[in-house]
Structures are given as C-alpha cells and as structure tokens.
Amino acid sequence: MSPKISSAEWEVMNVVWDRSPLTAAEVFAALPADHGWKQKTVNTFLARLDEKGVLKVAKRDGVNVYAPRLRRGDCVAAESESFLQRVFQGAAGPLLLHFCEQQDLSAEEIEELQRLLRKKKGRP
C-alpha cells in the first residue's frame, strides 16, 4: 500500500512525476506562484516525501535531485481505494453515480464510460 500523501504533497509530486529528475529549486519554480509557498516549504514537502518512500534522492554536483520512487498510477490507485472505503464504504456504484450526477461530462467521457460499462456487463 502506498503511503498517505497530503494535498500539498500531491501538488509537489505531480511536478516530479511530470518533469523528473529535478532539483528542489526546479520543483519550486514549476509550482504555481499563487501558492505563496517559499522554497523552504517545498524543501520540507520533498523531505517528507523522501521519508515516506515516495521520492528517491540522488546527489548531482552536490545538489539533491529528486525522482519518483513510486509510480503515479500506484499512488492514485491507493488514494482512490482509501477514498472509496472512507466515503462510500467500499461501494463503487454509488461513487460513480455521485460523480456522474455532479460533474459535467464530455461526449467522449460519456462514450468511454458506456464502453467500460458494456465491458463490465460482458458485451462488446
């Protein structure tokens, strides 16, 4: 099971997953400026993610360089399962219904959902 990642840590990890390997300064520069975070804050998130085993750290010219240790898909799967258990008591049907009712879906997303449901039902 993947470690628990906070919302802020997810933002940092999304940068690392998209652009690794990165230095802390490069991670900081890639984050939206409207956070109001300082470099030290980002350094703290990177250290926590390293401690949790989500990141791996290597030295390059005396500077820490960060890369993912865990794949994004594995962390998303673990977070999704945790959310499903906490909020919907493990029932996927009510979760899907809730999001389909609450969110606007494109025609492509609706078609993809229909394709997946047909596949689950055993039809092509």
Side-chain angles (χ1 to χ4, degrees):
M1 176 144 182
S2 293
K4 182 78 174 143
I5 302 173
S6 73
S7 295
E9 291 167 346
W10 271 99
E11 292 188 52
V12 170
M13 279 309 301
N14 282 324
V15 169
V16 176
W17 279 315
D18 289 342
R19 303 176 187 198
S20 72
L22 296 163
T23 65
E26 291 168 329
V27 172
F28 177 74
L31 289 164
D34 64 355
H35 277 306
W37 293 345
K38 305 270 189 238
Q39 179 69 60
K40 187 173 179 175
T41 305
V42 174
N43 294 352
T44 299
F45 292 142
L46 291 167
R48 286 183 194 162
L49 288 161
D50 177 36
E51 289 170 12
K52 292 178 179 184
V54 181
L55 284 177
K56 56 185 170 186
V57 185
K59 288 279 188 193
R60 183 175 67 201
D61 299 324
V63 177
N64 284 344
V65 177
Y66 299 90
R69 182 178 303 278
L70 300 177
R71 295 180 328 184
R72 183 191 324 241
D74 293 338
C75 292
V76 167
E79 186 70 21
S80 298
E81 182 61 31
S82 172
F83 177 78
L84 182 65
Q85 291 300 324
R86 280 190 331 262
V87 179
F88 291 92
Q89 293 79 46
L95 173 134
L96 289 171
L97 291 171
H98 169 78
F99 283 113
C100 287
E101 289 171 348
Q102 298 298 316
Q103 301 297 314
D104 290 331
L105 300 172
S106 69
E108 294 82 19
E109 291 168 329
I110 292 169
E111 180 57 38
E112 180 66 10
L113 283 170
Q114 289 172 332
R115 186 189 67 73
L116 288 170
L117 291 171
R118 283 192 302 272
K119 184 177 174 183
K120 285 282 188 186
K121 213 172 182 181
R123 291 190 238 158

